[in-house]
Amino acid sequence: MLKKYLIVFLVSMVPIIELRGAVPIGTGMDLPWHWCLIVSIIGNMLPVPFIFLFARKVLVWGSNKPVIGKFFTWCLEKGESGGKKLEEKAGKGIYAALLLFVGIPLPGTGAWTGTLAASMLNLNFKKSTIAVSLGVLLAGIIMTVGSLLVKTGISVF
């Protein structure tokens, strides 16, 4: 049982997959939905302070390196474009927009991208972390409900 929770925890920390993939995986492994959600949220939030404080510096450093340069440049561009879009649409409601950006589970959105965008925009660390946390919670609830509906629908047939 611990192995299943560890898988959910580790998957929720992976960029792009994050909680959006961890919750369905945990649901598919028949873990109780509430523990799966909690473990996924913790795993998804664990990298957030490190991303905010260090990711931009690491990406800039690695953007001109031979092997990792293209990927790091892509990450920088993704963060900058996400940040600019967020800033254009949000104006003064930037933190509410950040919450929704992270919270609505669409491809290319999530805690990693949202936090990187907040870092690129030099937003307030505490306010950004709160917005991302609430966004992760929202995404977790959406993914949990969706996963349970799919699982229940599959078991009916």
Side-chain angles (χ1 to χ4, degrees):
M1 185 66 93
L2 184 60
K3 182 180 176 182
K4 291 180 181 181
Y5 284 113
L6 184 60
I7 290 169
V8 170
F9 179 76
L10 293 174
V11 167
S12 68
M13 292 175 65
V14 175
I16 301 170
I17 300 171
E18 300 184 34
L19 173 138
R20 293 152 169 76
V23 168
I25 289 171
T27 303
M29 291 190 294
D30 292 323
L31 294 175
W33 69 267
H34 55 284
W35 288 116
C36 179
L37 179 59
I38 291 168
V39 169
S40 296
I41 289 171
I42 293 169
N44 201 184
M45 285 304 300
L46 191 64
V48 165
F50 300 102
I51 296 167
F52 191 93
L53 298 172
F54 303 113
R56 184 177 185 165
K57 293 173 186 171
V58 171
L59 291 173
V60 168
W61 168 83
S63 63
N64 62 356
K65 302 294 185 251
V67 176
I68 57 174
K70 286 184 182 181
F71 176 70
F72 279 34
T73 301
W74 176 82
C75 290
L76 273 171
E77 291 170 358
K78 180 82 170 151
E80 287 173 3
S81 69
K84 286 177 185 174
K85 287 178 189 175
L86 192 62
E87 195 171 38
E88 287 171 9
K89 291 181 181 179
K92 292 183 180 181
I94 190 78
Y95 296 103
L98 181 59
L99 185 155
L100 292 174
F101 180 81
V102 173
I104 299 173
L106 295 171
T109 68
W112 280 76
T113 308
T115 304
L116 185 57
S119 175
M120 298 283 185
L121 294 172
N122 294 316
L123 297 180
N124 178 279
F125 174 76
K126 185 177 178 181
K127 290 179 181 180
S128 297
T129 303
I130 291 169
V132 169
S133 299
L134 293 172
V136 167
L137 178 61
L138 176 60
I141 291 168
I142 292 169
M143 291 307 301
T144 299
V145 168
S147 296
L148 292 173
L149 286 173
V150 168
K151 186 175 179 180
T152 304
I154 290 173
S155 66
V156 169
F157 295 105

